[in-house]
Amino acid sequence: MNRRTWTVASAAMLALALGVLGATLPVPMVALGPGPTYDTLGDIEGDPVVTVEGQPSYPTSGQLNMTTVSVTDRLTMFAALGFWAASDSQVVPREPIFPSDMSLDEIQQQNTAQFSSSEANAEAAALAELHIPATVVVSALVPDTPAAAVLQPGDELLAVAQQPMDSVREVSDVLTTTQPGDVVTVQFRRGAEVQERDIALVARPDGAQGLLGVVLGGVLRDGDIRISLGGVGGPSAGLMFSLAVVDKLTPGELTGGRFVAGTGAIDAGGTVTPINGIPFKMRRAHDEGATVFLVPDANCAEAVETNPGLQLIRVNALHDAVLALEALNAGQPVPSC
């Protein structure tokens, strides 16, 4: 075999080896892209996404779609290059999405827990928005706080600082003038027993007022609200779930017959917080026929930069979204990104 033949053969063997590695060797990357959307006013496989029982409910129209991001894992080098070249996907490091110190089961459990929390927060926020009395319950406790030594998940919070509690928002309101270290009296029901204890407040990471140190949820007292949507994880559906509950519990049609989509995590008091992947969510919503998209305030700059042609409405809280949709139906200006 002469030198020329040897060089050609070596190059061919190297190309073959690189091809095999490129097609089979996994790389520490994942691909993000548009995921499915779900109408929170509609049905999934014949079952309503949001069901309200025991309260007067009203007809709805149009759509209120929550949006998702698809994640493709176990990419090979060639697959990663293909996604990188595609206009509707983004290749990012795998570690932030699938942390190496967590198993896949643990990550799935975390995503499921976040989704369940978004459902509970959505119900509590909607009831507070509509001023419907709710049973305020302890969902979780901040570790190493005085409250964690007194309260337990499942406890019903009856009063704080001698003020009866009918919504999660009222708990925050009654603590507005407090400071870390202040002591408040908390009345709660555990099982059939009503107890009353003094609890010292701790510091908030985002303000000067005192923090009780509990994660609270609100549950309808008379009747039942069920949010049923399996196979989806994460917290970003909260805003759209809340709007569906509000729409079903109030006369009139919140969408005005429009196809409205959106995203945003929500806390039990109705505050909307930013999420990731908004360009993908907007693209899929636009492709499926949405004309209006609700955007958390902190996501507005990114949304404007990547907007595929939607009317963008800026929201900081559930109340903002309700007022904006009502203004849109009345032909009035709405807060835009």
Side-chain angles (χ1 to χ4, degrees):
M1 182 180 295
N2 60 35
R3 179 176 296 179
R4 180 183 178 86
T5 303
W6 173 253
T7 300
V8 171
S10 298
M13 292 176 63
L14 179 60
L16 177 61
L18 290 174
V20 171
L21 289 175
T24 59
L25 185 66
V27 293
M29 311 292 284
V30 297
L32 307 180
T37 73
Y38 302 93
D39 180 14
T40 59
L41 295 177
D43 297 349
I44 301 294
E45 297 181 352
D47 296 321
V49 175
V50 176
T51 304
V52 178
E53 296 178 349
Q55 290 283 321
S57 58
Y58 303 89
T60 62
S61 70
Q63 294 182 225
L64 282 171
N65 279 46
M66 56 160 286
T67 50
T68 66
V69 174
S70 67
V71 180
T72 304
D73 191 19
R74 303 186 187 282
L75 298 182
T76 64
M77 184 186 301
F78 287 166
L81 288 172
F83 280 113
W84 177 79
S87 61
D88 62 347
S89 62
Q90 179 184 12
V91 178
V92 299
R94 186 178 189 275
E95 180 66 22
I97 297 173
F98 296 103
S100 56
D101 60 350
M102 297 178 66
S103 69
L104 290 179
D105 284 345
E106 289 172 333
I107 293 170
Q108 180 60 43
Q109 289 171 5
Q110 181 185 71
N111 288 337
T112 300
Q114 289 177 335
F115 192 74
S116 297
S117 177
S118 77
E119 294 176 331
N121 286 346
E123 179 177 351
L127 295 178
E129 172 68 20
L130 298 175
H131 303 288
I132 296 175
T135 297
V136 181
V137 295
V138 176
S139 299
L141 295 147
V142 179
D144 302 321
T145 60
V150 175
L151 300 171
Q152 296 179 6
D155 287 348
E156 179 185 345
L157 214 59
L158 302 177
V160 176
Q162 313 302 326
Q163 299 295 317
M165 293 293 107
D166 288 325
S167 74
V168 175
R169 186 179 297 168
E170 290 181 355
V171 179
S172 178
D173 290 345
V174 82
L175 298 178
T176 301
T177 59
T178 64
Q179 297 179 347
D182 289 350
V183 175
V184 296
T185 302
V186 175
Q187 186 184 70
F188 59 96
R189 178 182 289 114
R190 180 177 300 160
E193 182 183 1
V194 174
Q195 303 182 43
E196 193 169 276
R197 300 282 295 276
D198 290 337
I199 298 178
L201 303 179
V202 297
R204 294 177 61 95
D206 58 348
Q209 73 183 57
L211 179 72
L212 187 57
V214 297
V215 178
L216 299 173
V219 180
L220 189 64
R221 287 182 180 175
D222 300 315
D224 185 34
I225 295 174
R226 292 193 305 276
I227 300 174
S228 305
L229 185 60
V232 181
S236 66
L239 172 62
M240 304 311 291
F241 283 146
S242 273
L243 287 170
V245 174
V246 170
D247 200 5
K248 292 196 172 195
L249 286 174
T250 53
E253 299 169 343
L254 195 56
T255 67
R258 295 177 182 84
F259 187 152
V260 177
T263 189
I266 199 168
D267 66 19
T271 300
V272 175
T273 52
I275 46 76
N276 295 320
I278 200 162
F280 307 119
K281 295 180 176 185
M282 292 194 307
R283 184 176 298 127
R284 178 55 61 88
H286 179 266
D287 290 347
E288 293 194 359
T291 58
V292 176
F293 198 93
L294 303 176
V295 183
D297 177 74
N299 290 121
C300 264
E302 183 183 17
V304 169
E305 184 178 348
T306 57
N307 185 10
L310 296 159
Q311 180 178 2
L312 304 181
I313 296 180
R314 178 194 303 264
V315 297
N316 282 293
L318 172 61
H319 189 61
D320 298 337
V322 172
L323 291 181
L325 291 176
E326 290 175 346
L328 194 64
N329 292 338
Q332 299 172 352
V334 296
S336 61
C337 287

